[in-house]
Structure formats: structure tokens, C-alpha cells
Amino acid sequence: RIIAISQSTRDDLIEIFGLPPERITVTYLGVEPSFRRVEDQQRCAEVRARHRLPDRYVLFVGTIEPRKNVERLVEAYATVRRERPDAPPLVIVGGRGKDADRVECAVASMGLSQSVVFAGYIERDDLPAIYSAARLFVLPSLYEGFGLPALEAMACQVPVVAGDTTSLREIVADCGVLVDPMRPSKIAEGIVRALADEGLRAHCIERGLELARQMTWERCARQTLAVYEDVVA
């Protein structure tokens, strides 16, 4: 038996490896209880100050590597700034992968050095406050096995814009705004909508929090145990 963390991963296992569908069970991951909205403004301010972050921002969390599509996100953000000069800065949280140099060059070439913050890797204990201070979370990945940062953002009551691909299409669904990650113009449209449309924002926050409350590690553990019990039986 094989356990997959999303239906998308299950489909890939069937298509790429030719595995029998009946051998694969999907057990979704969970979000840790520590990922919840931080209402303590002093705590948020302390975390932002420690990492030199602005008061409000558009947030990306993930390693800067090709599948995370950060270069197209930067291009999309340049469009957002042209359309809305008052748009919040873009904060990129995550380690330097093999795409980091290209992304940094793109930021410089587009004249965004004063509007894009590279925060680097941030410890897990600070992430709930980082999410909570964000106006919007964006994850325009080309491929995800699950997409845990999107769920973490939902748990912190932050609207999500995500790539309409692989598991993100499945996990985010109608809890956020799905965009074509190959087209920066579409990513930009999604960002502008999620920043400006208060009704849409309220819908995303409510549905996202509802989903995050369902996606617990206890649920994941019970579903995993059920697979073991089925195999033993």
C-alpha cells in the first residue's frame, strides 16, 4: 500500500509509475496548532522588527527555486505596482535555492529593490506572526505535492492567491484565488483582486479558516493508522 499526501500526488503515481489505483490511499497533511492568527500586535511588531519587515505586505514563503515560480511572481508584482503604486511591499521568506540569483537580478532590473524584501529563512516560531501581519499570501508554484504554506496562511486568516496547478488546485480550491502560474499578468490580476475586493477577502478568510480547522495532524494520523489496520486485516 502507498500513502499519498494529495489526490494530485496519487494521480502522478498512477500516471508516471503505473501503480494500481486501489493500492494508493490519500491522507492529507495537517497544520500545526501554533499556526493561528496572532492578535498580539506587540508580538507581531517585535517579530517584524527583528526581521526588518514593513507593517503590511504581500507574502511568499518557500525556497527560492524554479518550481516555486518566484521569478514570475516578481514580474507579476511589477505589474501590480504599476497599476497600484500604493500596493504593499512584497516579502519573500525562504532559503536560497538555485533560482535565487535570477530572482534577485529580476528585482533589480525591474526597479523593485525598494519594494521587495528578501527576508531569508525564518524560524518556525516566528512564522505565525509573519503570516498574521501579511495583507495577502501568494504561492504561484508550478508544482506542489501538497502546499502546506497555503494552509498555514489560511490558519492565520490571510487570503491566499495560488497557482491553479497540481495539489494547490485541490487544497486551495474555492478557499482562495487560483491563477495561471505561467502568466504573470494573471498572477497580477489575482493579487490586485485579493487586495482590493473586500467581499472576496472576507470569503477567502472565512473558507480558508474553516478548511484549516479540518486539516489537523490528528486527522492525518487517524487516516494513516486506518491504512495500517486495513493492511494487517
Side-chain angles (χ1 to χ4, degrees), residues 113-128:
S113 298
Q114 300 301 313
S115 305
V116 177
V117 178
F118 290 94
Y121 175 80
I122 290 180
E123 294 292 337
R124 182 177 296 272
D125 288 350
D126 283 349
L127 282 177

Side-chain angles (χ1 to χ4, degrees), residues 35 37 56-63 68 70 73 77 88-94 127-141 144 146-163 168 171-172 175-179 187 190-195 200-201 204-205 208:
F35 283 95
R37 186 161 189 83
R56 284 291 182 184
Y57 42 81
V58 174
L59 177 65
F60 166 88
V61 175
T63 303
K68 295 293 186 178
V70 186
L73 170 58
Y77 181 70
L90 172 63
V91 170
I92 297 174
V93 171
L127 282 177
I130 298 292
Y131 279 116
S132 297
R135 177 75 175 162
L136 179 67
F137 178 75
V138 186
L139 189 64
S141 297
E144 291 286 344
F146 183 81
L148 196 53
L151 191 60
E152 293 170 349
M154 292 179 194
C156 295
Q157 301 182 46
V158 180
V160 172
V161 173
L168 290 177
I171 301 303
V172 175
C175 298
V177 178
L178 293 173
V179 296
I187 301 173
I191 292 173
V192 169
R193 280 187 62 211
L195 287 173
L200 175 64
R201 289 178 55 80
C204 292
I205 290 170

Side-chain angles (χ1 to χ4, degrees), residues 64-67 69-75 92 96-110 112 116 118:
I64 306 174
E65 60 186 2
R67 74 180 177 91
N69 206 28
V70 186
E71 189 172 358
R72 287 192 182 91
L73 170 58
V74 168
E75 186 177 342
I92 297 174
R96 289 177 58 84
K98 64 179 182 179
D99 227 19
D101 289 342
R102 286 177 57 89
V103 172
E104 289 172 353
C105 287
V107 167
S109 67
M110 295 178 194
L112 295 172
V116 177
F118 290 94

